[in-house]
mmCIF file of all heavy atoms in Angstrom:
data_model
loop_
_atom_site.group_PDB
_atom_site.id
_atom_site.type_symbol
_atom_site.label_atom_id
_atom_site.label_comp_id
_atom_site.label_asym_id
_atom_site.label_seq_id
_atom_site.Cartn_x
_atom_site.Cartn_y
_atom_site.Cartn_z
ATOM 1 N N ASP A 11 86.005 20.551 -7.590
ATOM 2 C CA ASP A 11 87.274 19.955 -7.124
ATOM 3 C C ASP A 11 87.319 18.458 -7.600
ATOM 4 O O ASP A 11 88.424 17.997 -7.936
ATOM 5 C CB ASP A 11 87.333 19.948 -5.598
ATOM 6 C CG ASP A 11 87.685 21.365 -5.073
ATOM 7 O OD1 ASP A 11 87.991 22.235 -5.906
ATOM 8 O OD2 ASP A 11 87.561 21.559 -3.864
ATOM 9 N N TRP A 12 86.186 17.809 -7.580
ATOM 10 C CA TRP A 12 86.130 16.378 -8.054
ATOM 11 C C TRP A 12 86.464 16.341 -9.549
ATOM 12 O O TRP A 12 87.273 15.539 -9.984
ATOM 13 C CB TRP A 12 84.786 15.820 -7.753
ATOM 14 C CG TRP A 12 84.583 14.322 -7.911
ATOM 15 C CD1 TRP A 12 84.705 13.404 -6.932
ATOM 16 C CD2 TRP A 12 84.329 13.598 -9.101
ATOM 17 N NE1 TRP A 12 84.491 12.136 -7.481
ATOM 18 C CE2 TRP A 12 84.259 12.248 -8.794
ATOM 19 C CE3 TRP A 12 84.177 14.018 -10.466
ATOM 20 C CZ2 TRP A 12 84.063 11.254 -9.741
ATOM 21 C CZ3 TRP A 12 83.909 13.034 -11.407
ATOM 22 C CH2 TRP A 12 83.881 11.645 -11.070
ATOM 23 N N LEU A 13 85.838 17.198 -10.309
ATOM 24 C CA LEU A 13 86.087 17.243 -11.769
ATOM 25 C C LEU A 13 87.517 17.566 -12.060
ATOM 26 O O LEU A 13 88.144 16.987 -12.951
ATOM 27 C CB LEU A 13 85.139 18.237 -12.433
ATOM 28 C CG LEU A 13 83.642 18.066 -12.194
ATOM 29 C CD1 LEU A 13 82.849 19.147 -12.971
ATOM 30 C CD2 LEU A 13 83.201 16.667 -12.793
ATOM 31 N N ALA A 14 88.077 18.536 -11.345
ATOM 32 C CA ALA A 14 89.447 18.960 -11.560
ATOM 33 C C ALA A 14 90.411 17.812 -11.277
ATOM 34 O O ALA A 14 91.395 17.551 -12.030
ATOM 35 C CB ALA A 14 89.764 20.176 -10.693
ATOM 36 N N HIS A 15 90.148 17.054 -10.218
ATOM 37 C CA HIS A 15 90.988 15.929 -9.845
ATOM 38 C C HIS A 15 90.967 14.853 -10.969
ATOM 39 O O HIS A 15 92.018 14.364 -11.353
ATOM 40 C CB HIS A 15 90.494 15.291 -8.553
ATOM 41 C CG HIS A 15 91.148 13.949 -8.246
ATOM 42 N ND1 HIS A 15 92.495 13.843 -7.904
ATOM 43 C CD2 HIS A 15 90.684 12.689 -8.288
ATOM 44 C CE1 HIS A 15 92.793 12.581 -7.735
ATOM 45 N NE2 HIS A 15 91.676 11.818 -7.960
ATOM 46 N N VAL A 16 89.800 14.573 -11.519
ATOM 47 C CA VAL A 16 89.663 13.537 -12.528
ATOM 48 C C VAL A 16 90.386 13.989 -13.800
ATOM 49 O O VAL A 16 91.136 13.172 -14.433
ATOM 50 C CB VAL A 16 88.153 13.216 -12.809
ATOM 51 C CG1 VAL A 16 88.059 12.313 -14.071
ATOM 52 C CG2 VAL A 16 87.551 12.561 -11.621
ATOM 53 N N LEU A 17 90.186 15.200 -14.205
ATOM 54 C CA LEU A 17 90.871 15.728 -15.425
ATOM 55 C C LEU A 17 92.401 15.707 -15.297
ATOM 56 O O LEU A 17 93.097 15.323 -16.195
ATOM 57 C CB LEU A 17 90.357 17.140 -15.742
ATOM 58 C CG LEU A 17 88.927 17.199 -16.241
ATOM 59 C CD1 LEU A 17 88.443 18.646 -16.257
ATOM 60 C CD2 LEU A 17 88.797 16.578 -17.597
ATOM 61 N N GLN A 18 92.840 16.071 -14.119
ATOM 62 C CA GLN A 18 94.315 16.100 -13.870
ATOM 63 C C GLN A 18 94.878 14.679 -13.712
ATOM 64 O O GLN A 18 95.933 14.345 -14.268
ATOM 65 C CB GLN A 18 94.646 16.903 -12.627
ATOM 66 C CG GLN A 18 96.148 16.981 -12.340
ATOM 67 C CD GLN A 18 96.427 17.833 -11.091
ATOM 68 O OE1 GLN A 18 95.508 18.217 -10.347
ATOM 69 N NE2 GLN A 18 97.684 18.073 -10.838
ATOM 70 N N ASP A 19 94.163 13.840 -12.999
ATOM 71 C CA ASP A 19 94.597 12.456 -12.717
ATOM 72 C C ASP A 19 94.715 11.621 -14.016
ATOM 73 O O ASP A 19 95.676 10.872 -14.185
ATOM 74 C CB ASP A 19 93.663 11.767 -11.744
ATOM 75 C CG ASP A 19 94.265 10.544 -11.077
ATOM 76 O OD1 ASP A 19 95.470 10.532 -10.812
ATOM 77 O OD2 ASP A 19 93.483 9.578 -10.860
ATOM 78 N N THR A 20 93.745 11.766 -14.911
ATOM 79 C CA THR A 20 93.764 10.973 -16.130
ATOM 80 C C THR A 20 94.652 11.573 -17.201
ATOM 81 O O THR A 20 95.165 10.874 -18.070
ATOM 82 C CB THR A 20 92.336 10.867 -16.735
ATOM 83 O OG1 THR A 20 91.819 12.191 -17.006
ATOM 84 C CG2 THR A 20 91.412 10.167 -15.778
ATOM 85 N N GLY A 21 94.858 12.904 -17.123
ATOM 86 C CA GLY A 21 95.583 13.555 -18.235
ATOM 87 C C GLY A 21 94.863 13.363 -19.556
ATOM 88 O O GLY A 21 95.507 13.305 -20.616
ATOM 89 N N ALA A 22 93.534 13.321 -19.505
ATOM 90 C CA ALA A 22 92.794 13.049 -20.690
ATOM 91 C C ALA A 22 93.106 14.112 -21.812
ATOM 92 O O ALA A 22 93.050 15.324 -21.532
ATOM 93 C CB ALA A 22 91.267 13.092 -20.410
ATOM 94 N N PRO A 23 93.476 13.675 -22.991
ATOM 95 C CA PRO A 23 93.762 14.637 -24.087
ATOM 96 C C PRO A 23 92.590 15.334 -24.666
ATOM 97 O O PRO A 23 92.720 16.374 -25.291
ATOM 98 C CB PRO A 23 94.503 13.789 -25.095
ATOM 99 C CG PRO A 23 93.948 12.410 -24.909
ATOM 100 C CD PRO A 23 93.634 12.281 -23.473
ATOM 101 N N VAL A 24 91.417 14.779 -24.524
ATOM 102 C CA VAL A 24 90.197 15.301 -25.156
ATOM 103 C C VAL A 24 89.051 15.340 -24.156
ATOM 104 O O VAL A 24 88.899 14.343 -23.380
ATOM 105 C CB VAL A 24 89.773 14.474 -26.411
ATOM 106 C CG1 VAL A 24 88.473 15.029 -27.036
ATOM 107 C CG2 VAL A 24 90.874 14.450 -27.448
ATOM 108 N N VAL A 25 88.259 16.373 -24.155
ATOM 109 C CA VAL A 25 87.043 16.405 -23.383
ATOM 110 C C VAL A 25 85.884 16.594 -24.372
ATOM 111 O O VAL A 25 85.845 17.543 -25.148
ATOM 112 C CB VAL A 25 87.017 17.617 -22.380
ATOM 113 C CG1 VAL A 25 85.667 17.803 -21.760
ATOM 114 C CG2 VAL A 25 88.052 17.365 -21.247
ATOM 115 N N LEU A 26 84.948 15.665 -24.352
ATOM 116 C CA LEU A 26 83.743 15.739 -25.166
ATOM 117 C C LEU A 26 82.628 16.348 -24.288
ATOM 118 O O LEU A 26 82.356 15.779 -23.193
ATOM 119 C CB LEU A 26 83.287 14.326 -25.629
ATOM 120 C CG LEU A 26 84.293 13.628 -26.544
ATOM 121 C CD1 LEU A 26 83.704 12.234 -26.870
ATOM 122 C CD2 LEU A 26 84.496 14.360 -27.847
ATOM 123 N N THR A 27 82.000 17.394 -24.699
ATOM 124 C CA THR A 27 80.976 18.046 -23.933
ATOM 125 C C THR A 27 79.989 18.726 -24.797
ATOM 126 O O THR A 27 79.913 18.469 -25.998
ATOM 127 C CB THR A 27 81.637 19.043 -22.921
ATOM 128 O OG1 THR A 27 80.637 19.588 -22.058
ATOM 129 C CG2 THR A 27 82.330 20.161 -23.645
ATOM 130 N N GLN A 28 79.188 19.614 -24.252
ATOM 131 C CA GLN A 28 78.197 20.410 -24.989
ATOM 132 C C GLN A 28 78.426 21.879 -24.643
ATOM 133 O O GLN A 28 79.003 22.189 -23.526
ATOM 134 C CB GLN A 28 76.784 19.993 -24.615
ATOM 135 C CG GLN A 28 76.438 18.565 -24.995
ATOM 136 C CD GLN A 28 75.097 18.120 -24.476
ATOM 137 O OE1 GLN A 28 74.665 18.561 -23.417
ATOM 138 N NE2 GLN A 28 74.416 17.194 -25.173
ATOM 139 N N GLN A 29 78.054 22.746 -25.506
ATOM 140 C CA GLN A 29 78.378 24.158 -25.347
ATOM 141 C C GLN A 29 77.849 24.704 -24.017
ATOM 142 O O GLN A 29 78.526 25.437 -23.337
ATOM 143 C CB GLN A 29 77.682 24.952 -26.539
ATOM 144 C CG GLN A 29 78.146 26.423 -26.532
ATOM 145 C CD GLN A 29 79.637 26.588 -26.813
ATOM 146 O OE1 GLN A 29 80.209 25.891 -27.606
ATOM 147 N NE2 GLN A 29 80.284 27.500 -26.099
ATOM 148 N N ARG A 30 76.624 24.268 -23.578
ATOM 149 C CA ARG A 30 76.040 24.802 -22.374
ATOM 150 C C ARG A 30 76.780 24.341 -21.115
ATOM 151 O O ARG A 30 76.659 24.933 -20.055
ATOM 152 C CB ARG A 30 74.563 24.362 -22.261
ATOM 153 C CG ARG A 30 74.338 22.880 -22.132
ATOM 154 C CD ARG A 30 72.872 22.491 -22.161
ATOM 155 N NE ARG A 30 72.671 21.054 -22.143
ATOM 156 C CZ ARG A 30 72.683 20.330 -21.039
ATOM 157 N NH1 ARG A 30 72.912 20.879 -19.879
ATOM 158 N NH2 ARG A 30 72.491 19.015 -21.136
ATOM 159 N N LEU A 31 77.569 23.259 -21.217
ATOM 160 C CA LEU A 31 78.321 22.725 -20.094
ATOM 161 C C LEU A 31 79.787 23.190 -20.052
ATOM 162 O O LEU A 31 80.487 22.962 -19.084
ATOM 163 C CB LEU A 31 78.287 21.203 -20.075
ATOM 164 C CG LEU A 31 76.881 20.591 -19.966
ATOM 165 C CD1 LEU A 31 76.986 19.068 -20.156
ATOM 166 C CD2 LEU A 31 76.219 20.910 -18.639
ATOM 167 N N ARG A 32 80.216 23.756 -21.156
ATOM 168 C CA ARG A 32 81.643 24.023 -21.312
ATOM 169 C C ARG A 32 82.181 24.915 -20.174
ATOM 170 O O ARG A 32 83.274 24.620 -19.633
ATOM 171 C CB ARG A 32 81.869 24.732 -22.654
ATOM 172 C CG ARG A 32 83.335 24.925 -23.017
ATOM 173 C CD ARG A 32 83.486 25.368 -24.465
ATOM 174 N NE ARG A 32 84.873 25.342 -24.861
ATOM 175 C CZ ARG A 32 85.294 25.315 -26.102
ATOM 176 N NH1 ARG A 32 84.413 25.287 -27.129
ATOM 177 N NH2 ARG A 32 86.590 25.331 -26.390
ATOM 178 N N ASP A 33 81.464 25.926 -19.813
ATOM 179 C CA ASP A 33 81.974 26.836 -18.791
ATOM 180 C C ASP A 33 81.907 26.307 -17.379
ATOM 181 O O ASP A 33 82.451 26.884 -16.456
ATOM 182 C CB ASP A 33 81.194 28.192 -18.872
ATOM 183 C CG ASP A 33 81.443 28.942 -20.178
ATOM 184 O OD1 ASP A 33 82.520 28.674 -20.797
ATOM 185 O OD2 ASP A 33 80.634 29.797 -20.560
ATOM 186 N N SER A 34 81.183 25.183 -17.214
ATOM 187 C CA SER A 34 81.092 24.603 -15.881
ATOM 188 C C SER A 34 82.309 23.738 -15.541
ATOM 189 O O SER A 34 82.495 23.360 -14.396
ATOM 190 C CB SER A 34 79.823 23.733 -15.734
ATOM 191 O OG SER A 34 79.919 22.600 -16.568
ATOM 192 N N LEU A 35 83.141 23.449 -16.502
ATOM 193 C CA LEU A 35 84.333 22.651 -16.279
ATOM 194 C C LEU A 35 85.408 23.484 -15.659
ATOM 195 O O LEU A 35 85.565 24.667 -15.957
ATOM 196 C CB LEU A 35 84.856 22.089 -17.604
ATOM 197 C CG LEU A 35 84.056 20.945 -18.259
ATOM 198 C CD1 LEU A 35 84.537 20.700 -19.685
ATOM 199 C CD2 LEU A 35 84.122 19.680 -17.406
ATOM 200 N N PRO A 36 86.212 22.913 -14.745
ATOM 201 C CA PRO A 36 87.358 23.660 -14.182
ATOM 202 C C PRO A 36 88.403 23.812 -15.223
ATOM 203 O O PRO A 36 88.393 23.160 -16.299
ATOM 204 C CB PRO A 36 87.783 22.714 -13.030
ATOM 205 C CG PRO A 36 87.337 21.374 -13.390
ATOM 206 C CD PRO A 36 86.054 21.546 -14.168
ATOM 207 N N PRO A 37 89.400 24.672 -14.994
ATOM 208 C CA PRO A 37 90.489 24.826 -15.986
ATOM 209 C C PRO A 37 91.219 23.513 -16.252
ATOM 210 O O PRO A 37 91.440 22.714 -15.348
ATOM 211 C CB PRO A 37 91.455 25.847 -15.268
ATOM 212 C CG PRO A 37 90.565 26.552 -14.330
ATOM 213 C CD PRO A 37 89.495 25.592 -13.849
ATOM 214 N N HIS A 38 91.480 23.261 -17.556
ATOM 215 C CA HIS A 38 92.187 21.995 -17.882
ATOM 216 C C HIS A 38 92.979 22.239 -19.165
ATOM 217 O O HIS A 38 92.754 23.238 -19.870
ATOM 218 C CB HIS A 38 91.157 20.867 -18.038
ATOM 219 C CG HIS A 38 90.120 21.147 -19.107
ATOM 220 N ND1 HIS A 38 90.355 20.837 -20.444
ATOM 221 C CD2 HIS A 38 88.884 21.684 -19.037
ATOM 222 C CE1 HIS A 38 89.244 21.156 -21.165
ATOM 223 N NE2 HIS A 38 88.361 21.685 -20.353
ATOM 224 N N SER A 39 93.847 21.306 -19.515
ATOM 225 C CA SER A 39 94.672 21.431 -20.689
ATOM 226 C C SER A 39 94.183 20.598 -21.861
ATOM 227 O O SER A 39 94.855 20.571 -22.909
ATOM 228 C CB SER A 39 96.127 21.081 -20.333
ATOM 229 O OG SER A 39 96.203 19.738 -19.819
ATOM 230 N N ALA A 40 93.096 19.873 -21.709
ATOM 231 C CA ALA A 40 92.584 18.994 -22.786
ATOM 232 C C ALA A 40 91.973 19.768 -23.913
ATOM 233 O O ALA A 40 91.515 20.919 -23.737
ATOM 234 C CB ALA A 40 91.580 18.031 -22.218
ATOM 235 N N HIS A 41 91.974 19.158 -25.068
ATOM 236 C CA HIS A 41 91.294 19.750 -26.239
ATOM 237 C C HIS A 41 89.800 19.530 -26.075
ATOM 238 O O HIS A 41 89.352 18.385 -25.902
ATOM 239 C CB HIS A 41 91.802 19.093 -27.509
ATOM 240 C CG HIS A 41 91.156 19.605 -28.761
ATOM 241 N ND1 HIS A 41 91.181 20.940 -29.106
ATOM 242 C CD2 HIS A 41 90.450 19.000 -29.711
ATOM 243 C CE1 HIS A 41 90.524 21.115 -30.255
ATOM 244 N NE2 HIS A 41 90.067 19.943 -30.640
ATOM 245 N N THR A 42 89.027 20.577 -26.130
ATOM 246 C CA THR A 42 87.608 20.472 -25.880
ATOM 247 C C THR A 42 86.829 20.412 -27.187
ATOM 248 O O THR A 42 87.029 21.226 -28.115
ATOM 249 C CB THR A 42 87.089 21.698 -25.060
ATOM 250 O OG1 THR A 42 87.798 21.770 -23.844
ATOM 251 C CG2 THR A 42 85.582 21.545 -24.785
ATOM 252 N N LEU A 43 85.993 19.416 -27.298
ATOM 253 C CA LEU A 43 85.056 19.283 -28.458
ATOM 254 C C LEU A 43 83.625 19.340 -28.001
ATOM 255 O O LEU A 43 83.258 18.612 -27.069
ATOM 256 C CB LEU A 43 85.288 17.956 -29.164
ATOM 257 C CG LEU A 43 86.608 17.717 -29.943
ATOM 258 C CD1 LEU A 43 86.723 16.313 -30.429
ATOM 259 C CD2 LEU A 43 86.747 18.724 -31.057
ATOM 260 N N CYS A 44 82.868 20.246 -28.568
ATOM 261 C CA CYS A 44 81.434 20.352 -28.221
ATOM 262 C C CYS A 44 80.616 19.604 -29.226
ATOM 263 O O CYS A 44 80.649 19.911 -30.439
ATOM 264 C CB CYS A 44 80.990 21.858 -28.175
ATOM 265 S SG CYS A 44 81.722 22.726 -26.787
ATOM 266 N N LEU A 45 79.904 18.572 -28.792
ATOM 267 C CA LEU A 45 79.189 17.681 -29.703
ATOM 268 C C LEU A 45 78.060 18.399 -30.462
ATOM 269 O O LEU A 45 77.600 17.957 -31.498
ATOM 270 C CB LEU A 45 78.611 16.507 -28.939
ATOM 271 C CG LEU A 45 79.691 15.582 -28.332
ATOM 272 C CD1 LEU A 45 79.046 14.494 -27.523
ATOM 273 C CD2 LEU A 45 80.510 14.952 -29.428
ATOM 274 N N ASP A 46 77.612 19.545 -29.914
ATOM 275 C CA ASP A 46 76.523 20.297 -30.596
ATOM 276 C C ASP A 46 77.120 21.427 -31.457
ATOM 277 O O ASP A 46 76.939 21.437 -32.679
ATOM 278 C CB ASP A 46 75.503 20.836 -29.605
ATOM 279 C CG ASP A 46 76.117 21.474 -28.374
ATOM 280 O OD1 ASP A 46 77.351 21.639 -28.339
ATOM 281 O OD2 ASP A 46 75.369 21.821 -27.439
ATOM 282 N N SER A 47 77.818 22.356 -30.875
ATOM 283 C CA SER A 47 78.266 23.522 -31.610
ATOM 284 C C SER A 47 79.365 23.257 -32.603
ATOM 285 O O SER A 47 79.590 24.022 -33.511
ATOM 286 C CB SER A 47 78.712 24.621 -30.645
ATOM 287 O OG SER A 47 79.725 24.155 -29.774
ATOM 288 N N ASP A 48 80.098 22.102 -32.448
ATOM 289 C CA ASP A 48 81.185 21.753 -33.374
ATOM 290 C C ASP A 48 80.720 20.756 -34.417
ATOM 291 O O ASP A 48 81.558 20.221 -35.122
ATOM 292 C CB ASP A 48 82.365 21.175 -32.625
ATOM 293 C CG ASP A 48 83.083 22.182 -31.694
ATOM 294 O OD1 ASP A 48 82.910 23.398 -31.992
ATOM 295 O OD2 ASP A 48 83.746 21.762 -30.750
ATOM 296 N N SER A 49 79.405 20.516 -34.540
ATOM 297 C CA SER A 49 78.899 19.478 -35.404
ATOM 298 C C SER A 49 79.280 19.719 -36.863
ATOM 299 O O SER A 49 79.481 18.758 -37.622
ATOM 300 C CB SER A 49 77.393 19.322 -35.245
ATOM 301 O OG SER A 49 76.742 20.545 -35.528
ATOM 302 N N ALA A 50 79.376 20.971 -37.277
ATOM 303 C CA ALA A 50 79.693 21.283 -38.677
ATOM 304 C C ALA A 50 81.109 20.754 -39.007
ATOM 305 O O ALA A 50 81.392 20.250 -40.096
ATOM 306 C CB ALA A 50 79.615 22.752 -38.945
ATOM 307 N N ASP A 51 82.053 20.877 -38.041
ATOM 308 C CA ASP A 51 83.407 20.372 -38.257
ATOM 309 C C ASP A 51 83.397 18.830 -38.321
ATOM 310 O O ASP A 51 84.156 18.264 -39.147
ATOM 311 C CB ASP A 51 84.321 20.831 -37.137
ATOM 312 C CG ASP A 51 84.535 22.359 -37.126
ATOM 313 O OD1 ASP A 51 84.381 22.963 -38.160
ATOM 314 O OD2 ASP A 51 84.753 22.885 -35.997
ATOM 315 N N PHE A 52 82.578 18.211 -37.521
ATOM 316 C CA PHE A 52 82.538 16.769 -37.539
ATOM 317 C C PHE A 52 82.023 16.240 -38.875
ATOM 318 O O PHE A 52 82.447 15.144 -39.364
ATOM 319 C CB PHE A 52 81.628 16.220 -36.434
ATOM 320 C CG PHE A 52 82.085 16.602 -35.056
ATOM 321 C CD1 PHE A 52 81.134 16.749 -34.029
ATOM 322 C CD2 PHE A 52 83.372 16.789 -34.742
ATOM 323 C CE1 PHE A 52 81.515 17.109 -32.743
ATOM 324 C CE2 PHE A 52 83.785 17.122 -33.463
ATOM 325 C CZ PHE A 52 82.837 17.285 -32.456
ATOM 326 N N ALA A 53 81.134 17.009 -39.497
ATOM 327 C CA ALA A 53 80.554 16.559 -40.786
ATOM 328 C C ALA A 53 81.604 16.460 -41.889
ATOM 329 O O ALA A 53 81.411 15.806 -42.924
ATOM 330 C CB ALA A 53 79.457 17.513 -41.195
ATOM 331 N N LEU A 54 82.750 17.146 -41.730
ATOM 332 C CA LEU A 54 83.784 17.151 -42.726
ATOM 333 C C LEU A 54 84.716 15.982 -42.540
ATOM 334 O O LEU A 54 85.550 15.687 -43.438
ATOM 335 C CB LEU A 54 84.633 18.429 -42.612
ATOM 336 C CG LEU A 54 83.857 19.739 -42.748
ATOM 337 C CD1 LEU A 54 84.779 20.935 -42.528
ATOM 338 C CD2 LEU A 54 83.220 19.848 -44.141
ATOM 339 N N GLU A 55 84.575 15.189 -41.447
ATOM 340 C CA GLU A 55 85.489 14.073 -41.256
ATOM 341 C C GLU A 55 85.093 12.849 -42.074
ATOM 342 O O GLU A 55 83.933 12.763 -42.525
ATOM 343 C CB GLU A 55 85.466 13.700 -39.733
ATOM 344 C CG GLU A 55 85.991 14.813 -38.816
ATOM 345 C CD GLU A 55 87.482 15.026 -38.984
ATOM 346 O OE1 GLU A 55 88.167 14.110 -39.417
ATOM 347 O OE2 GLU A 55 87.961 16.136 -38.648
#
């Protein structure tokens, strides 16, 4: 409930997380980036 309130209150457009934590987040509308599993995409930037 605390996490959901913060995500909704801020309207954060991006959530930076890790793959193992992704499912622990409450439902949200932000774009999720996993710093570990998405690393190949970051390498192209």
Side-chain angles (χ1 to χ4, degrees):
D11 286 350
W12 192 96
L13 302 179
H15 169 70
V16 171
L17 289 168
Q18 181 179 8
D19 196 38
T20 59
V24 177
V25 170
L26 299 176
T27 185
Q28 296 171 331
Q29 189 64 40
R30 63 184 176 84
L31 300 172
R32 186 170 189 161
D33 293 339
S34 67
L35 288 169
H38 60 86
S39 58
H41 179 58
T42 302
L43 291 175
C44 291
L45 295 174
D46 45 6
S47 57
D48 293 338
S49 58
D51 294 333
F52 300 150
L54 303 176
E55 297 292 336

